[in-house]
Amino acid sequence: MEETIDLRELFKIIKRKIWMIVLIGLIFGIVSGVVSVFFITPMYQSSTTLIVNKENSNSETQLSNSDDINYVQKLAYTYSEIITSRAVLGKTISQLGLDISYKKLASCVTVTNITNTQIIKVDVLYKDPKTAREICDTIPAVFDKEIQRIMKVSGVEVIDKAIVSSSPVKPNKIKNVILASAFGVLLGICIAIVQSLMDTKIKTSSDIKEHLDIPVLGIIPKQK
């Protein structure tokens, strides 16, 4: 006979196994907290924003029509790729004397083009807040020289300089503990349901009627 559980029975199972469900949730939450505090390296983020220039014959930035604006916006996407190139990040590593490979630094740098603007946002995620700011400030300076050498055009101007982050952005300890605890509770509920489905013992008169389909003539009371 196929085993099925209605909503009422599900609540009964959860109520009977509530101690186990809560315990599993607590264990997962505690383990997540310990891992977040002692085993995951905190990461700090610094950000800077750049504006792309279009050089005219007078070496001044003028965006007089939609063609100029579209041109500069497309140029911003090209610049974004160059920012994370070996030419830029390699010189950034050299100038700051960082003990890190180009690939590792590239994985720490995120470049975003602000939609429908000529603005580029550069985010640097690093384990040391001061180094994160130094990288974030050095990249635009190196990039400005490289872009003029590579493309023979005017460079970029910094809108907002990077600042030292006062607190890490990763790991988010509270979020990790909440998610791990919720997962533990769901896991506990699943275990309780599986245990109930696998338990074939006859415990009550209703179990006899349901599973054996025979009438109950009488019940012997449990002796105290």
Side-chain angles (χ1 to χ4, degrees):
M1 186 176 179
E2 185 180 354
E3 291 284 352
T4 59
I5 297 180
D6 59 19
L7 192 59
R8 188 181 303 172
E9 182 65 22
L10 178 61
F11 281 121
K12 289 181 180 179
I13 293 172
I14 294 174
K15 186 177 180 180
R16 286 198 304 268
K17 300 289 185 177
I18 190 65
W19 63 271
M20 180 188 72
I21 295 170
V22 172
L23 180 61
I24 294 176
L26 287 174
I27 291 173
F28 272 73
I30 293 171
V31 170
S32 174
V34 171
V35 171
S36 298
V37 172
F38 297 104
F39 295 97
I40 298 180
T41 302
M43 301 296 287
Y44 298 83
Q45 180 173 292
S46 283
S47 303
T48 185
T49 51
L50 316 173
I51 186 167
V52 177
N53 293 326
K54 177 183 180 295
E55 187 177 41
N56 62 14
S57 57
N58 295 323
S59 297
E60 295 178 352
T61 302
Q62 294 182 352
L63 298 178
S64 58
N65 54 54
S66 59
D67 290 337
D68 286 340
I69 296 174
N70 291 333
Y71 169 75
V72 172
Q73 288 177 0
K74 290 180 180 179
L75 200 60
Y77 285 99
T78 302
Y79 283 8
S80 298
E81 294 298 320
I82 298 175
I83 288 175
T84 55
S85 67
R86 190 179 295 274
V88 174
L89 297 187
K91 289 187 178 180
T92 300
I93 292 172
S94 299
Q95 285 192 18
L96 296 177
L98 300 176
D99 185 18
I100 187 175
S101 66
Y102 158 72
K103 288 185 177 181
K104 181 64 176 178
L105 180 57
S107 67
C108 297
V109 178
T110 303
V111 182
T112 307
N113 293 95
I114 307 302
T115 306
N116 297 326
T117 71
Q118 61 198 86
I119 297 174
I120 300 173
K121 185 172 183 286
V122 180
D123 296 309
V124 176
L125 198 66
Y126 203 71
K127 58 186 177 181
D128 179 69
K130 292 184 179 179
T131 305
R133 185 203 59 187
E134 291 174 351
I135 294 172
C136 213
D137 283 337
T138 304
I139 287 176
V142 174
F143 170 70
D144 188 57
K145 295 179 180 179
E146 288 300 309
I147 199 64
Q148 294 182 56
R149 177 184 66 83
I150 296 171
M151 301 184 68
K152 309 298 181 183
V153 296
S154 62
V156 296
E157 295 180 9
V158 176
I159 301 175
D160 295 318
K161 288 188 176 181
I163 60 175
V164 177
S165 176
S166 59
S167 58
V169 295
K170 290 183 179 181
N172 189 327
K173 301 180 184 67
I174 296 177
K175 180 180 178 181
N176 289 349
V177 169
I178 291 175
L179 291 177
S181 298
F183 177 79
V185 169
L186 290 176
L187 180 62
I189 292 174
C190 291
I191 293 174
I193 293 173
V194 171
Q195 286 181 341
S196 178
L197 291 174
M198 295 180 65
D199 187 1
T200 58
K201 294 179 180 178
I202 302 297
K203 300 183 179 69
T204 64
S205 59
S206 59
D207 290 339
I208 297 175
K209 294 178 181 179
E210 180 180 352
H211 298 289
L212 302 180
D213 196 23
I214 57 177
V216 178
L217 300 178
I219 299 175
I220 300 175
K222 185 178 180 180
Q223 295 183 352
K224 297 182 180 181

